């Protein structure tokens, strides 16, 4: 049976981990997508926080959300708060390349499970995934 390249599985359908990459920068989206692919994690990409919220409203669920902080339309802090208000229990890992300590604190308080400085690397991603697998 052919597997879809994208996530959005229903519970019980597959044991494969799924992730959503949320970043307005195409290069970062591509890098994060490929890192996840290399780990065998099915993933989808969106370019802002509103799209991340909308994809969850459509019924898709992910084990992991990699959330950029600075994005147009809806930033990572707003999107993380909204996802948590919706009852989304996915591991949400924030990422940013230029954040002040206060901004990181605000991002964490929005409901992050983890924060990593960009660029995300394989060791950083593996560290995040260990939080899911406990």
């Amino acid at each position: 049976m052919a597997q879809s390249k994208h996530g959005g599985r229903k519970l019980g359908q597959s044991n494969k981990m799924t992730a959503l990459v949320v970043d307005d920068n195409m290069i970062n989206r591509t890098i994060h997508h490929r890192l996840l692919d290399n780990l065998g994690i099915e993933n989808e990409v969106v370019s802002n926080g509103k799209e991340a919220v909308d994809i969850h409203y459509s019924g898709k669920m992910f084990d992991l959300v990699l959330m950029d902080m600075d994005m147009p339309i809806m930033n990572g802090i707003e999107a993380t708060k909204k996802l948590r208000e919706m009852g989304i229990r996915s591991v949400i890992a924030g990422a940013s390349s230029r954040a002040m300590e206060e901004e990181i604190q605000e991002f964490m308080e929005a409901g992050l499970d983890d924060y990593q400085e960009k660029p995300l690397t394989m060791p950083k991603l593996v560290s995040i995934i260990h939080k899911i697998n406990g």
Side-chain angles (χ1 to χ4, degrees):
M1 182 163 129
Q3 285 196 337
S4 167
K5 188 173 179 179
H6 300 290
R9 65 183 165 81
K10 296 203 178 355
L11 287 177
Q13 198 174 33
S14 167
N15 287 332
K16 195 160 191 150
M17 189 179 291
T18 59
L20 179 65
V21 176
V22 188
D23 201 307
D24 61 317
N25 181 291
M26 188 182 75
I27 294 168
N28 288 332
R29 283 196 309 267
T30 302
I31 291 169
H32 299 165
H33 173 71
R34 288 191 180 150
L35 284 171
L36 289 162
D37 274 353
N38 289 341
L39 290 171
I41 298 171
E42 292 180 9
N43 64 95
E44 293 190 37
V45 296
V46 296
S47 58
N48 64 61
K50 183 180 183 317
E51 291 177 5
V53 169
D54 289 347
I55 201 168
H56 282 86
Y57 268 131
S58 78
K60 288 197 176 180
M61 301 299 274
F62 302 90
D63 299 302
L64 170 65
V65 178
L66 294 179
M67 183 75 72
D68 182 29
M69 187 167 72
D70 298 311
M71 296 177 288
I73 303 173
M74 183 185 286
N75 69 31
I77 294 170
E78 294 171 70
T80 300
K81 284 181 184 173
K82 186 70 177 164
L83 289 172
R84 292 304 188 210
E85 287 168 9
M86 292 167 57
I88 301 302
R89 309 207 46 93
S90 308
V91 168
I92 303 177
S96 182
S97 54
R98 53 172 196 87
M100 308 282 283
E101 192 61 41
E102 307 84 55
E103 293 174 313
I104 295 169
Q105 187 63 36
E106 183 183 3
F107 205 3
M108 289 299 296
E109 288 171 0
L112 292 184
D113 296 292
D114 193 14
Y115 175 85
Q116 297 288 337
E117 194 171 306
K118 285 184 188 173
L120 284 184
T121 60
M122 192 60 81
K124 288 179 183 177
L125 195 53
V126 168
S127 165
I128 294 167
I129 290 165
H130 282 302
K131 288 180 173 24
I132 297 170
N133 293 334

